Amino acid sequence: MAVGLGDLPKMHPVAGFELGIASAGIKAVGRRDVVVMRCAEGSSVAGVYTQNAFCAAPVILCKQRMQSAPRYLVVNTGNANAATGDLGLQAANAVCQQLADLVGCPLQQVLPFSTGVIGEQLPVEKITAALPAALADLREDNWALAAEGIMTTDTLPKGASVQFQHGEVTLTVTGISKGAGMIRPNMATMLGYIATDAAVSQEVLQNILHDAANKSFNRITIDGDTSTNDSCILVATGQAAVATITEPQGELYEALREAINQVAMQLAQAIVRDGEGATKFVTVQVHGGAHQQECLDVAYAVAHSPLIKTALFASDPNWGRIVAAIGYAGIKDLDTEQVNVYLDDVCIVAHGGRAQAYTEEQGAAVMQQAEILIRIELERGSCHETIWTTDLSHEYVRINAEYRS
Amino acid sequence: MAVGLGDLPKMHPVAGFELGIASAGIKAVGRRDVVVMRCAEGSSVAGVYTQNAFCAAPVILCKQRMQSAPRYLVVNTGNANAATGDLGLQAANAVCQQLADLVGCPLQQVLPFSTGVIGEQLPVEKITAALPAALADLREDNWALAAEGIMTTDTLPKGASVQFQHGEVTLTVTGISKGAGMIRPNMATMLGYIATDAAVSQEVLQNILHDAANKSFNRITIDGDTSTNDSCILVATGQAAVATITEPQGELYEALREAINQVAMQLAQAIVRDGEGATKFVTVQVHGGAHQQECLDVAYAVAHSPLIKTALFASDPNWGRIVAAIGYAGIKDLDTEQVNVYLDDVCIVAHGGRAQAYTEEQGAAVMQQAEILIRIELERGSCHETIWTTDLSHEYVRINAEYRS
């Protein structure tokens, strides 16, 4: 029941980045649940990872290997290999080692990724048995199947792809993501893979990814839960005939950064649109904060309130629940009489109370929409923040009450 | 579908504290939705209130009047008189003034309380029209009807009553509460009224209430939403033949404090047991924290996680979701290998991973129970905290998606 999420856009291949998909049958026989990605030699690879203290075994290994010029990524769904202790690390390594042996590269150049149930040991043999088929399947135009291969409770594959010109050269940025539940700032059960054929030094690439994630993946929330496995990887293969970007400046740098931001934003919003049980895509904007953090505190208080989320599900313009959430967001010395709230263009709260011209019909009309903007003005300063979230539906409860069965 | 909450216990009357109930028909004709309480002259009255910045008009007035030796409390359900601006203050005052006129006391001695929908103006005339009937109904043995009179989405009335001996004198502490939704620390859409016939100075009484609330009402959470209207009042009528307590010490002080804590705890737990859509009563204990706050941070991360709450609803011992929540609670330098988690007596996580002896059947057996203890050991220090919460069910979504209709 994804909100405003259609078929994948045209997924432009990225020279030097290949994807292969195979079936390991981890949760269901025949399901294509293993994806291998190969980066051309000389690629730069950047990564951002979950801040959960219980980060999963593959995340621990990925972080260790970012400076080892990674060449291969291997992803499995159905099992998160999280909270699995030393055995989990050994299992992730065993998968990596098998892949390294098959392709003849050092273990340190293989990055593992897992998503699925937490706390069960990784079925290593099932995964390694699928690696030859995944390698045989490696192709630059395999993005769409890979987008399906990394899905868990997602209902639709998620992808984004943009191209831009630099002189006579057409550059490409293409990416895929998966999400659906356990989504909140600081990454989520969210996996994202973005590749470009531009050439970028590892340090600059890491900064671009960090900024892009902060504007996209770190501004979405479905249920407030932060997963143990979130990872987002950005690869620059350097196959396009342009100079290597080694400094965060210049026309090419700016154009590339903009393209990557755009892809990251589309991938992040796609995760929200396909949030577990989502029937609404909700943008929460907070303006006029004294600083960035208080804008985020208010935005997340609103986005995480089960009472607001159920009202959104019910298309009920229950603005009282919104002001209550603003009130408990912990803003120091909040002058409630300065607070205004809009649903799209309809002012529902002015100066801390129900707006005089507001009618329930106006609010109800906005709430009927599948996409809703909640705009909050604090009138305390000039900072603003935007996050994206969903409603809380019967379907969310059903999915998460039944997930392991 | 309250969990382990039966009929009201025997509600011992408190000499000098009378309650009267009447019907104002605020939301439904015939519903007894107005309660008046009268404190004998010379009573001490203490109060604790919501910390929501958008606190409701009646809360603003109550706070102003705590030092005016309040004699009357007037409660309405069906309308919270919150986010109603100056008109809301005038409306609350109009109700108080009418009551003051009827009984011949100063306006400042009347405390107003409202609970219900936020952001609609209080139907003053309906409420004032019901005041004579409420006053005519004032009786010391009216606790049970008053417990019903303050209900909103509660499915059962909530009361607690204890007696203890001091020398030859039997002292009484009796209280009622309402809650059900928008419940979290720092009070909730929670109203509580506790009275004793002991004699206590206002200052000591305020401290007793503050401590009692911190161990009870401020340790419960249903949906993480903090209401605009939470109020808890403690009245000491001084009608018992014992000396006035003016210092926080002595046998009588200790016995009274213990009795008040016990009543507050029962009232708070009753609110959780009757949480909106609750099918489980869940105690979350965090031991071995370096300080109190980190114990609370972990406990609330677990208690607020929609993924854990839906797993509780499904009776699914999904311990992976529990360690994930511990991991994102923001504990600085958490050594995950020290973390142990128990469901009742079953160790499910040892040293940060699935406990070796643990079987899914053991966890499932605990999760089938209506009352579940989640015990978390951090092994970082000697602090511990306990909070109480519920699961997240289809019924919660239904109630909150339909509440205003």
Side-chain angles (χ1 to χ4, degrees), chain A residues 267-354:
Chain A
L267 293 178
Q269 292 191 2
I271 289 172
V272 174
R273 291 177 186 282
D274 197 19
E276 285 173 350
T279 74
K280 309 272 176 168
F281 177 76
V282 184
T283 303
V284 183
Q285 281 183 0
V286 178
H287 291 259
H291 48 77
Q292 197 181 25
Q293 190 56 50
E294 72 178 29
C295 293
L296 288 174
D297 288 345
V298 169
Y300 283 120
V302 169
H304 288 156
S305 161
L307 290 173
I308 295 174
K309 290 172 105 72
T310 46
L312 285 162
F313 170 54
S315 299
D316 172 9
N318 193 322
W319 60 272
R321 294 181 183 178
I322 298 175
V323 298
I326 298 168
Y328 67 68
I331 305 306
K332 201 173 153 59
D333 302 324
L334 177 66
D335 181 354
T336 60
E337 295 192 2
Q338 296 296 315
V339 173
N340 306 313
V341 181
Y342 294 79
L343 291 179
D344 281 8
D345 292 332
V346 177
C347 180
I348 58 172
V349 173
H351 307 298
R354 184 188 183 115

Side-chain angles (χ1 to χ4, degrees), chain B residues 154-197:
Chain B
D154 308 66
T155 68
L156 287 171
K158 295 159 188 71
S161 186
V162 301
Q163 290 190 315
F164 63 98
Q165 290 293 124
H166 182 71
E168 309 228 314
V169 181
T170 299
L171 287 115
T172 300
V173 178
T174 297
I176 56 177
S177 66
K178 60 89 35 183
M182 229 191 221
I183 299 293
R184 86 156 277 175
N186 301 318
M187 313 300 291
T189 297
M190 139 51 219
L191 296 177
Y193 303 94
I194 305 174
T196 176
D197 50 355

Side-chain angles (χ1 to χ4, degrees), chain A residues 123-185:
Chain A
V124 174
E125 286 175 20
K126 283 186 179 178
I127 297 170
T128 54
L131 292 179
L135 289 169
D137 190 45
L138 283 169
R139 282 159 40 201
E140 287 180 355
D141 64 352
N142 239 347
W143 283 98
L145 283 178
E148 288 181 15
I150 63 174
M151 287 164 59
T152 50
T153 54
D154 307 66
T155 68
L156 286 171
K158 295 160 188 72
S161 186
V162 301
Q163 291 190 315
F164 63 98
Q165 290 293 124
H166 182 71
E168 308 226 313
V169 180
T170 299
L171 288 116
T172 300
V173 178
T174 297
I176 56 176
S177 65
K178 58 95 26 186
M182 229 194 220
I183 300 292
R184 86 156 278 175

Side-chain angles (χ1 to χ4, degrees), chain A residues 62-379:
Chain A
C62 277
K63 286 180 174 176
Q64 291 170 355
R65 295 174 184 174
M66 291 311 293
Q67 303 305 322
S68 309
R71 292 287 312 283
Y72 287 87
L73 319 181
V74 54
V75 190
N76 74 271
T77 68
N79 182 305
N81 195 5
T84 44
D86 281 341
L87 286 175
L89 283 170
Q90 290 168 28
N93 249 335
V95 171
C96 293
Q97 186 65 60
Q98 179 68 22
L99 181 59
D101 290 348
L102 286 169
V103 299
C105 83
L107 173 65
Q108 296 295 319
Q109 292 188 326
V110 181
L111 302 183
F113 305 86
S114 296
T115 177
V117 176
I118 299 176
E120 295 181 3
Q121 289 297 334
L122 195 70
V124 174
E125 286 175 20
K126 283 186 179 178
I127 297 170
T128 54
L131 292 179
L135 289 169
D137 190 45
L138 283 169
R139 282 159 40 201
E140 287 180 355
D141 64 352
N142 239 347
W143 283 98
L145 283 178
E148 288 181 15
I150 63 174
M151 287 164 59
T152 50
T153 54
D154 307 66
T155 68
L156 286 171
K158 295 160 188 72
S161 186
V162 301
Q163 291 190 315
F164 63 98
Q165 290 293 124
H166 182 71
E168 308 226 313
V169 180
T170 299
L171 288 116
T172 300
V173 178
T174 297
I176 56 176
S177 65
K178 58 95 26 186
M182 229 194 220
I183 300 292
R184 86 156 278 175
N186 300 317
M187 314 298 292
T189 299
M190 147 38 224
L191 296 177
Y193 302 93
I194 305 174
T196 176
D197 50 355
V200 192
S201 74
Q202 209 266 335
E203 188 186 342
V204 172
L205 196 70
Q206 183 66 39
N207 287 336
I208 289 176
L209 177 59
H210 184 265
D211 289 350
N214 266 345
K215 288 177 187 148
S216 58
F217 300 115
N218 287 341
R219 289 293 179 275
I220 61 176
T221 182
I222 291 172
D223 49 21
D225 281 80
T226 303
S227 132
T228 49
N229 291 58
D230 313 326
S231 307
C232 183
I233 295 292
L234 173 59
V235 174
T237 64
Q239 302 285 300
V242 289
T244 300
I245 300 170
T246 56
E247 297 290 337
Q249 59 193 39
E251 198 185 314
L252 178 57
Y253 165 80
E254 294 295 346
L256 177 66
R257 197 178 62 133
E258 176 56 33
I260 290 169
N261 283 348
Q262 200 179 321
V263 167
M265 183 72 84
Q266 286 177 28
L267 293 178
Q269 292 191 2
I271 289 172
V272 174
R273 291 177 186 282
D274 197 19
E276 285 173 350
T279 74
K280 309 272 176 168
F281 177 76
V282 184
T283 303
V284 183
Q285 281 183 0
V286 178
H287 291 259
H291 48 77
Q292 197 181 25
Q293 190 56 50
E294 72 178 29
C295 293
L296 288 174
D297 288 345
V298 169
Y300 283 120
V302 169
H304 288 156
S305 161
L307 290 173
I308 295 174
K309 290 172 105 72
T310 46
L312 285 162
F313 170 54
S315 299
D316 172 9
N318 193 322
W319 60 272
R321 294 181 183 178
I322 298 175
V323 298
I326 298 168
Y328 67 68
I331 305 306
K332 201 173 153 59
D333 302 324
L334 177 66
D335 181 354
T336 60
E337 295 192 2
Q338 296 296 315
V339 173
N340 306 313
V341 181
Y342 294 79
L343 291 179
D344 281 8
D345 292 332
V346 177
C347 180
I348 58 172
V349 173
H351 307 298
R354 184 188 183 115
Q356 283 200 333
Y358 171 66
T359 65
E360 191 89 349
E361 290 67 34
Q362 293 175 309
V366 176
M367 291 296 265
Q368 288 296 334
Q369 302 166 179
E371 308 212 2
I372 296 167
L373 167 65
I374 301 175
R375 178 189 159 98
I376 297 160
E377 296 175 346
L378 301 177
E379 305 283 8

Side-chain angles (χ1 to χ4, degrees), chain B residues 10 26 47 54 57 100 166 181 187 254 269 284 289 301 327 330 338 368:
Chain B
K10 174 160 176 51
I26 294 173
F54 276 94
H166 182 71
M187 313 300 291
E254 294 296 345
Q269 293 192 1
V284 182
Q338 296 296 314
Q368 288 295 335

